[in-house]
Amino acid sequence: MTFTFRPGPATRPRPTRATARTRRTALAVVMTATLLDLVDLTVVTVALPTIRTGLGVPYGTLPWIAGGYALAFAVVLVPGARLGGVHGRRRVFLLGVGAFTVASAAGGLAPDAGTLVAARVAQGAAAALMVPQVPHLIDALSPAAGRRRATAVFGTVIGLGALAGPVVGALLLESDLFGLGWRALFLVDVPVGVACLLLGRRCVVERRDPLAGAPDWPGTAVAAAGVLLILYPLGRGPGAGWPVWVPLSIAAGAGLVALFVRRERARSRSGAGSLVVPSLFAVRGYAVGIGIELVHGVLGGLYLLAWCFHLQVGLGWSPLRTALCMLLFGAAVAVAAGLSCDVLFPRYGRTVLQAGALTQLTGALLYGWQTRALGTDIQVWQILPALILLGTGMGLTVAPLSTLLLTEVPPEHRHAAAGLGNTTYQLGTALGICLVPLAFLRLLDTGHPVPAAFSHTLRWLACLLLGVLALTCALPRGPGHRRAGGPLTGAAAGDTSPVR
């Protein structure tokens, strides 16, 4: 059911100027909240070297400043969407905005690394409350004639937010706003969040989904505990010398994940409602697509964090120069993603994903060779071909996944399938970030130069991309337009991953 500002056709008046202004303000509020989430997901990437020196953060803790946000977002996303359906999209959205603002203030005022990590986790959980409500609120706020345009603007906001994070972070660091240093990256969210909260209370309309099931918080807790028990030792183990608690923790986490899977199957059979629809994994295209989502999330989390350290610590580049280099990579992703979704994938199907994986693999091998051969003398123009190959390959591979995942999914499960795809990508990102100590930072601790450590990380990427290539071969054959029904758009599915 769609709620709008217009009554039925028989009594429909022309919208007043105040009503139209209120609607535009409300749309600006919900889109600004989405922008806050996307920027804050990546804004710390270029700031981690500065945060490390400012707070004295050990290498083993650094990944949690970035990965804690992604992990909390992934775990709370599906329950947060259902919470909005039951208790009201506006109410849960405003709760998320308020919690996000408080968490941002806590991060900006953090006296130590532990407090900063806790604030980042709280930010991610709060974002998972507000972001899945946004597509529903846009639908409720937009008149039928303007809904397509509002959805297009929302998609543009997603694209710009994903690319803007590192640049915003670099500009705030370079300007040293009010002498706050890296703290400005978090504190700048506070006035924006307060404005969204105040305006949202006045302008955003309420919407409920009568058929939405209540969140399964016990299942969420089991899944979160299992994932945390697996990821934490992977990040801590390399710096701690792999003590005995590491394999024990991973084994316990695997047991909890298995318990979660068993619980979801039982709830699905009983009709009680589950976080995950087990029958989706009987669809080959969906099961393989979820695997590709996971591996590409790992690739993104591992590569971007190690790459940032390579550019700033290894090459001595400024945060702004680093961010602009990342922007070139992001631009290649965006261009290839649009070409893949609109032109190539509907015609060539899985061949596009295979070409994307091979293109990324070529870029990783080229970049690894350049890093070993040129060391710290490498320049932007020299690595530009590798960046274009890596970005183009990522755009070609990941962009069609939101379509591919839903190709054979029954209509009644499409929202659940899309939400699980986004959750899987975010979990993969958290896993990739937690692998940075193993694939990169431990080599710095043992005295390896940064270029050599980064070259080692690129070999990890090459192995993961071979895995992606193998998974694409298991996808169903045939062009991408042969599907049971049209896919949900990113906005409709609540999808906010960076490359879609």
Side-chain angles (χ1 to χ4, degrees), residues 259-324:
L259 177 63
F260 171 74
V261 172
R262 182 177 179 181
R263 173 187 173 86
E264 294 303 291
R265 287 176 175 171
R267 287 178 65 87
S268 180
R269 286 194 299 267
S270 66
S274 56
L275 292 171
V276 177
V277 180
S279 61
L280 290 174
F281 293 93
V283 180
R284 187 179 71 169
Y286 185 81
V288 176
I290 281 290
I292 297 174
E293 288 267 22
L294 180 66
V295 178
H296 252 285
V298 175
L299 280 166
L302 176 60
Y303 170 68
L304 289 176
L305 193 54
W307 184 34
C308 183
F309 265 85
H310 169 240
L311 296 180
Q312 291 191 65
V313 179
L315 305 184
W317 291 9
S318 68
L320 185 57
R321 188 180 182 187
T322 298
L324 292 177

Side-chain angles (χ1 to χ4, degrees), residues 195-282:
C196 285
L197 194 61
L198 295 177
L199 291 173
R201 285 176 58 87
R202 292 182 56 190
C203 302
V204 176
V205 297
E206 187 58 279
R207 175 175 176 172
R208 286 182 171 84
D209 301 336
L211 300 180
D216 178 17
W217 292 116
T220 302
V222 171
V227 171
L228 186 62
L229 286 173
I230 293 172
L231 295 187
Y232 183 78
L234 288 177
R236 285 293 190 181
W242 298 105
V244 68
W245 64 264
V246 170
L248 292 176
S249 177
I250 294 174
L256 286 178
V257 171
L259 177 63
F260 171 74
V261 172
R262 182 177 179 181
R263 173 187 173 86
E264 294 303 291
R265 287 176 175 171
R267 287 178 65 87
S268 180
R269 286 194 299 267
S270 66
S274 56
L275 292 171
V276 177
V277 180
S279 61
L280 290 174
F281 293 93

